[in-house]
Amino acid sequence: MLIFKEGIMKVNILGTEYTIQRRSEKKDPKLEGKDGYMDSSTKEIIVEVFEEDSDSKRDLEYYAKAVIRHEIIHAFLFESGLDTCSNSHFGGWSENEEMVDWIAIQFPKLQKAFEEVGCL
Ligand SMILES: [Zn+2]
């Protein structure tokens, strides 16, 4: 499945509607230095429209899907009430990028495993 590149997609995050939009870094300076972000105040998930160049990953849409999953996990954590107050010395665990990425990357495999044993 090809991920959309323009327009707005909607996703329900625990009862709250979020929009997902793809933007270029030129159009949205907040994308500078990152591939996407979630804004809990406007209920937006923004994912960069990646430009192909010599440094870029070969399958940019595969990567875009992982970034979208990553930002959706941030939104799930926020809507669960798990935000900046999660307990840690170096930023809250719910904002820990490695943990969020682990869920986003492993989720398709977790889903497959859950479906295999019918425990969803
Ligand atoms: Zn993140």
Side-chain angles (χ1 to χ4, degrees):
M1 185 186 77
L2 202 68
I3 279 278
F4 73 108
K5 290 187 176 171
E6 311 177 337
I8 295 176
M9 239 169 78
K10 289 176 183 172
V11 60
N12 187 311
I13 309 282
L14 300 173
T16 300
E17 189 173 89
Y18 276 68
T19 60
I20 305 176
Q21 296 172 60
R22 304 283 304 269
R23 288 183 193 155
S24 66
E25 201 179 296
K26 281 177 208 148
K27 275 192 181 168
D28 188 343
K30 281 184 79 178
L31 282 167
E32 205 180 303
K34 40 186 138 159
D35 297 327
Y37 64 87
M38 182 277 295
D39 189 330
S40 58
S41 69
T42 54
K43 311 298 179 197
E44 285 177 315
I45 289 169
I46 309 297
V47 176
E48 187 170 353
V49 179
F50 305 108
E51 306 273 326
E52 232 173 294
D53 62 36
S54 55
D55 289 337
S56 65
K57 295 181 190 301
R58 285 199 171 201
D59 191 343
L60 289 171
E61 288 312 290
Y62 172 87
Y63 183 62
K65 287 178 191 176
V67 176
I68 290 170
R69 291 198 304 269
H70 181 106
E71 300 308 331
I72 285 174
I73 301 245
H74 273 304
F76 263 87
L77 289 168
F78 178 82
E79 294 301 330
S80 303
L82 299 170
D83 195 31
T84 51
C85 292
S86 59
N87 194 20
S88 168
H89 301 292
F90 304 104
W93 68 264
S94 67
E95 290 190 318
N96 180 291
E97 292 301 314
E98 194 172 17
M99 190 275 297
V100 171
D101 230 19
W102 186 89
I103 298 169
I105 289 167
Q106 298 304 332
F107 184 79
K109 293 169 220 160
L110 290 168
Q111 183 178 17
K112 196 166 176 262
F114 294 160
E115 281 172 357
E116 257 172 42
V117 297
C119 68
L120 282 178

